[in-house]
Every structure is written in C-alpha cells, then in structure tokens.
Amino acid sequence: MNEYVERAQQYMRDVLDGTIPTCKWTRLAVQRQADDLLRERSEEWPWVFDADLAARPCGFAELLPHIKGKWAREGRLLELEPWQCFIITTVFGWVHHETRLRRFLEAYEEEARKNGKSAKGSALLLYMLAADGEHGAECYTAATTRDQARIVFDDAKAMAERSPGLRTHLGVAIMQHSLTVAATSSKAAPLAAEGSTLDGLNVHFALLDELHAHKTRAVYDVIDSARGAREQSLLWTITTAGTDRSGICYERRTHVTKILDRVVQDERVFGIIYTLDDGDDHFDPAVWIKANPNLGKSVQLDELQAQASKAMAMPSALSNFLTKRLNVWVSGESPWMDMRAWEKCGARGLGIESIPDGSKVYMGLDLAQKKDFAALTLAWEEDVEVSTGTVFDPSKRADDPAFYKRQLRIERKWRVCTRLYLNELAVQESGNAHLAGWARQGYVVVTDGALTDFDCVADDMRTYCRRFDVQEIAFDPALSMYFAGKLIEEGLPLVEIAQRAMFFTPALIQVENLVLEGKLQHDGNPVLAWMVSNLVVKQSKFNELMQPTKERPENKIDGVISMLMALGRALQQDTGSAALDDFLRNPIIV
C-alpha cells in the first residue's frame, strides 16, 4: 500500500474512533468508504479500489509549488493533509474491474473558507489536463463571474509557470487565458457564468467554485449535460455554505446527504461535508475543527476567534461567520428527522395486511391530483415482542438449536403504514430517477392518466373501515371537502383538520420523540423515507410554533403529512384517555 492511501486510511480510523472531531456527514462519508472497501465484487458492485490510481493525483499535487503566502516565499511544495488524501484517493481510486474507468462522475465537497480548496482545485485541474491520460481533455473552472472562475485557474497557471517539468515533460503550454497540451489536444480555461454561452463544450473535468453563490442552475446544467460524450468525465464542486436553500447548491447538497444517509443509492456521486452538528455551540473553539479540517495549517485559531468575537458583538456579522467560517447554512428552516433513527424503526414484515382485524386504527388523508402524491396513513398501537439479548444453555451442545435462546419482552408501540398514490403522467415526468423503480416494486399505487384517481383511494378507505375499528380519518378540508363529503354520507368517520402550526407542532415533537426512543415502527417504504428526509420545519420567531414544509416543489412530503395527521390525532386522543384513566384510578374530590 502506498503512502497516500495509508494516510487516507489512518484518517478514516481517526475519524471513526473519534480521535479527530468530525460532524455527522463527514463520519458518514468515511463510513461509506470503509463499507465499500469490504464489499465483494458482483454484478451489482463491479468496482475495485486501485491504490496506485488513487495515489497518482496525490503524488502529482505534491510536486507543485505553493504560490501564495509564506509557504510560497519559502519555495515549498504542496503537502496534502490526511483529509485531503482521503478525498482524492477515494474519488480516483475506484474503477470498474473490467473497463478500468472511474466509478465517480461527480464529487461534492463542502467546507469552510481558507481550508486550501483553491490550491487543491488548481492541482486537480492540472492533473486532469496533463496527467490523466485523456486525449482532447477539456478542463474548466466555472463560477458566478469570470473573475471568480479565474481564481483557481490563475493559481493553476502560476503553478505551471513555476514547474518547469510540466512544460518540458508533459508539454503544458501557458497562455494568457488558457493552458494547453498539444500532444493530446487538451486545454484548460476559465468559463464565464452565463450558461447560455457554454453550449458546445465537451467536458472532461470541470471545477465549480462556490456553487452556493450561483443565482441560477444554468452553469451547472450546461456543464453536466456537456459530459455525455466522455467515459469518465468528472464534475467537482467545492463550496461553502450559503443562505439560498432553493438553489442548485443546496439541491446537490441535499442529494449528497440522502446518499450518505442511505436514503438514496447513487454509486457514481462522492460527497463530503465539513460542518457543525446540530446542537453544537457555534462559539466553542472545540467544535470549529469539524468545519475546518485544516485548522492549525491554513486556518489559524486566533483568526477564527477574532471572527467569532466580531460575530458575538455584531449581529450583522453572525450570518457571515456561520456560513463562511463554520460552513453552516443559515435559514429559518431545519431538517426534521434523524434519518438513521428513522431507518432503525423499520419493521420487517409489517404491512397493512398484517394489522389484526378489528384493531383500533387512526387514519390520515392527504390528497392531490396532479404532480403531488395522494397519501393515506394507518396508525395503530400494538404489543410487539422485543429482543433483550441471547442466553446460552450449557447443558446443550453448541450445534443444538436449543443451545441459543432469545430473551424477549413485550413493548407497546405505535405502528404506521402509508399507501401512496400517483398518476402515471406524474411518474413519467418526475425528476426523481428512483420513482419509476419504486412504482414497479409496488411502493406507489400508480393510477391511469394525468390525474390521480380518487376512487382508488376511496375504495381502500372503505375496505379498511370494514376490516378495522377506524376511530377517525383526519383530512384537510381545503383540498378534499367534496371528496370527503361523499364518504361522510356513507358513514366513514372523517374529521376536518386544518393544516396549521397549532395542530402540527405537538405532532412533530411527539412523532420525532417516538422515533428517537424506538417506540414507533414503520413498514420501511423507501418512498416514505425519502419524504421524511425532505421535510423541514419552519419555526415561528414569535411563538415557537412549527410548520412542516419542503424546500422545493420536487421534494415531496405528502406521505409524512398524512402520517402526522393520523398520529397527531391518535396521540391527542391517547393522551386524553390516559389522563382520564389516571383520574378514575386516583380521583380527587374536594
């Protein structure tokens, strides 16, 4: 094993055992690589890790000089830190076992300012131009302005000017606005921000700098679409946090967090985020390393402390300190659910067909006709066997099944199953690449045409009301009053619930607590998990009431809303019944 892979793997060990303080997303990125290294090759997993290919860009980078600051004055070469070795070796080390083409086609890297991203980006630009073995390689830097795009390019140009070997051995020619390699007909250049001017590109490598500052998605989309003719093109985004949660940067960040949380499977995208964890004190120097992996190297503690003091004294400086120096996205909305905790609450074999007939059930209904889902959630309480460990019978042989005995106890848990309905046109036009697959696997009921068939939903509701003791069906009258009216006439117990913060605040808190305490079980529907991960909470600054919402239209949350309506009503009734029972057992009469 070479030194760069060794540095990377030592970094992985230090992260996973807590030696290096890191945030949740960094640990999950490291754990993903650790898990991948243990996977056996198969048709579903055709990738192998090649340590020599992983090390090549690292060795190349450390031949290049610093071009800014005291290290440039001292004539020092770049020295990659272990965390940088981890990122580079992971992205470049995985290849297809037959074609030897790279696994990762996109890399998303998010960290605070001054962590050496420009120097590393410049080194990668030069490597992809001159040392990746690609003929006709078109390599670009892109940002919101040409001046911003030139930052990384100009650093790469200065490195090339101070590295005679690039010119003599690799044939790099240095021009005012580009770098070229005549032998392979390759070039590198900065790009203007206007996406409309970028047509005709054939991108081998593109480095998008400060993606959070892009006002539109035009540049990203044009570069992404310009990679189709390449077998192993690489789109690399390096950014800090921002404030626009509706933009392309936060969209890519959200996709990465879903990959790391194992909600979405995308083996061709690498992502790592250096930021603070929820609940960390922004002004505690002990947590700053989580967002600044180069703390003590290119990031100085005293400078951070000065910025923190300014942010404490001047509220107007707080947002800049959080986004630029701690890589914290600033917004009035925050993710609702810990997806690891949600995943642990999945129960194998749980489904509507497994609910005992006659069970007391609460239902929540959220309707939509065109692009949103219609959702129906059933919630009920049930006694569940829970394993407390395994005991061994020494009187039995080890190969005797009776040698092992599980210890069980009975716990009362809330259980939920959600039915999701969507019309076939919405499935075809969805930007979610997983949706068609989920529909084929039966996780979504697909109805014919361009409108979701409410009769299908109504038939299911009638069936469940015949099978179970349905207490209430909570629904939003703003969306389904006519539909509900007909079912009320049939005797179904529908209850109007306006989707306001006053109702949702206790439901959000109670359901989250049930998940964190392991007192809720769900059927493992991946579409519902995706919706749970999409839900963010907007909290009022005046009365602390909470409203569930989504950050963009394509982030559907309909299934979660129906679950919150069902459980919100069920828990509300359960709390009232418990209080009444307690009073009857212990009456206080004055």
Side-chain angles (χ1 to χ4, degrees), residues 384-404:
V384 179
E385 285 188 344
V386 178
S387 175
T388 60
T390 304
V391 293
F392 307 97
D393 186 348
S395 67
K396 307 290 184 182
R397 291 167 50 89
D399 57 355
D400 186 337
F403 178 70
Y404 303 94

Side-chain angles (χ1 to χ4, degrees), residues 44-192:
E44 294 76 25
W45 182 253
W47 315 107
V48 293
F49 187 78
D50 188 317
D52 291 333
L53 290 178
R56 287 190 71 221
C58 296
F60 179 91
E62 291 198 341
L63 295 174
L64 299 172
H66 280 280
I67 49 89
K68 292 178 181 177
K70 66 175 183 177
W71 293 338
R73 290 195 302 271
E74 296 170 2
R76 292 172 58 178
L77 300 180
L78 298 182
E79 295 179 20
L80 296 176
E81 296 300 317
W83 69 276
Q84 295 170 317
C85 290
F86 166 73
I87 293 173
I88 295 174
T89 58
T90 301
V91 173
F92 285 88
W94 287 103
V95 294
H96 193 280
H97 73 100
E98 291 181 347
T99 65
R100 310 303 291 176
L101 296 175
R102 273 191 297 271
R103 165 191 171 187
F104 290 115
L105 302 179
E106 183 172 352
Y108 179 91
E109 180 184 347
E110 190 181 291
E111 68 226 14
R113 288 184 61 194
K114 298 186 180 295
N115 279 276
K117 65 181 177 67
S118 294
K120 182 168 90 275
S122 300
L124 290 173
L125 182 71
L126 289 172
Y127 176 81
M128 296 296 283
L129 167 72
D132 195 42
E134 181 79 5
H135 283 257
E138 294 184 18
C139 305
Y140 300 102
T141 58
T144 54
T145 65
R146 184 177 291 274
D147 288 342
Q148 178 71 31
R150 287 200 68 99
I151 292 176
V152 172
F153 174 80
D154 286 345
D155 286 356
K157 179 182 173 183
M159 288 177 178
E161 288 171 339
R162 301 182 193 185
S163 303
L166 285 179
R167 301 193 297 275
T168 58
H169 298 303
L170 296 179
V172 176
I174 303 170
M175 304 178 186
Q176 184 175 359
H177 300 297
S178 65
L179 303 170
T180 63
V181 178
T184 60
S185 301
S186 300
K187 69 173 183 178
L191 292 177

Side-chain angles (χ1 to χ4, degrees), residues 273-383:
I273 298 170
Y274 291 92
T275 185
L276 302 193
D277 286 305
D278 292 341
D280 282 344
D281 180 357
H282 299 152
F283 299 106
D284 180 3
V287 303
W288 291 345
I289 191 174
K290 293 182 179 183
N292 294 274
N294 243 26
L295 189 63
K297 303 293 182 178
S298 59
V299 179
Q300 301 306 316
L301 182 60
D302 57 351
E303 182 193 3
L304 270 181
Q305 288 174 324
Q307 294 288 326
S309 298
K310 180 180 178 182
M312 292 178 71
M314 300 173 57
S316 59
L318 178 60
S319 177
N320 193 64
F321 175 67
L322 293 177
T323 56
K324 300 300 186 288
R325 307 315 302 268
L326 298 184
N327 197 44
V328 173
W329 284 79
V330 176
S331 172
E333 301 168 357
S334 59
W336 172 52
M337 183 59 68
D338 179 337
M339 292 307 298
R340 288 292 181 181
W342 175 263
E343 183 181 348
K344 291 178 181 177
C345 290
R348 184 176 301 175
L350 181 61
I352 295 175
E353 66 282 353
S354 67
I355 306 175
D357 289 349
S359 296
K360 184 185 291 187
V361 169
Y362 289 83
M363 293 163 60
L365 174 67
D366 189 53
L367 289 182
Q369 279 192 313
K370 293 186 178 180
K371 295 185 178 180
D372 286 337
F373 289 77
L376 180 66
T377 293
L378 285 71
W380 72 101
E381 269 193 302
E382 190 173 343
D383 289 332

